[in-house]
Each structure stands twice: as C-alpha cells, then as structure tokens.
Amino acid sequence: MATTGIINGTDLLVFIGGTAITHSTSASISFSMETRDASTKDSAGYREILEGQRSYSIECEGMTALDAANGFEELFAAWVARTVLTVKFGTADGEDQYYQGTGYLTSLSMDSGVEDSSTFSASFEMSGTVTTTV
C-alpha cells in the first residue's frame, strides 16, 4: 500500500540500480533551474530573466562498513571507473512515487573521528531528464 500522510524521513533512500545504499543515514534530492538574462533598454533598469537549463542532484550519507553489499566500496569503484549510474530517490515501497535518472558520482568522502562511527557522503550529479514513476 502506498505511503500516506507525512513521510518519515527514515523511509526515503537513495538506490543505485534498484538497490538501496547500505547503512544510509540521510538522503536528499535537489532541483534547480538556471536563468538567462532578458534585460533590455526598455527594462527601466530592472533585470528581466527567462527560463534556462534545469538540473538536479541526489546526495546521501551513511555509516561506513567496508564489507557492506552496496556501500562505500561499490561507490568508490563506480567513481574510479567513471560509471554512469541509474540513481533513484524514494521509498522502498513499490507503490510510492520516486524520482530517477542517470548520472555520475561526483563527490565521495569518508569521515572518521576518534572513537566515533565512520561515515561517508556521496553526491550524484544527474544528466538528462528526471522521471517520476510509481
């Protein structure tokens, strides 16, 4: 049954090729649109704009486990190989709407403090259109 009401953030995940990134602690998706200048001498000194290119990115953070099935090591291998990835942002419920596209892993970092759980961050810059599907 599709999720109803306000979504619990714990339920939102980032998936690579249909498999959720392991030990995820946060996930986000961001949409943006550039603008192009349309100002003329008739603009009375005010800037006028028109629509431009749209883009979107997906990010996630998680706990580092080097033996995880779909974790840091797999992300690192995709980064090294410059692999085009199918990335999905949504819940694990097959009846919920999700956002999906293809893109590249453009940033990957691992942080580890003294006597603290090691974490990683991954950022995906998406290419082309985003699809929203149920």
Side-chain angles (χ1 to χ4, degrees):
M1 184 164 112
T3 303
T4 59
I6 297 171
I7 297 174
N8 183 332
T10 301
D11 295 336
L12 290 169
L13 303 167
V14 174
F15 299 80
I16 305 296
T19 304
I21 293 177
T22 306
H23 303 306
S24 177
T25 58
S26 70
S28 65
I29 188 167
S30 177
F31 302 96
S32 64
M33 182 177 70
E34 295 176 16
T35 58
R36 52 194 171 108
D37 191 5
S39 304
T40 67
K41 292 180 180 182
D42 299 322
S43 299
Y46 290 92
R47 181 174 177 239
E48 294 183 16
I49 59 171
L50 294 171
E51 80 294 337
Q53 288 187 320
R54 293 172 291 181
S55 63
Y56 65 109
S57 61
I58 297 174
E59 297 181 359
C60 69
E61 294 180 342
M63 299 287 189
T64 308
L66 298 179
D67 61 347
N70 197 30
F72 185 85
E73 289 300 310
E74 284 76 13
L75 292 171
F76 179 73
W79 178 81
V80 168
R82 300 179 181 183
T83 304
V84 174
L85 301 167
T86 299
V87 185
K88 171 183 158 184
F89 178 87
T91 71
D93 186 329
E95 295 184 26
D96 286 343
Q97 178 173 315
Y98 61 85
Y99 304 91
Q100 180 174 298
T102 57
Y104 293 93
L105 177 59
T106 57
S107 175
L108 180 65
S109 66
M110 185 189 306
D111 297 307
S112 52
V114 173
E115 294 299 317
D116 200 1
S117 296
S118 178
T119 61
F120 69 89
S121 297
S123 298
F124 304 89
E125 189 169 332
M126 308 307 289
S127 179
T129 60
V130 59
T131 58
T132 57
T133 309
V134 174

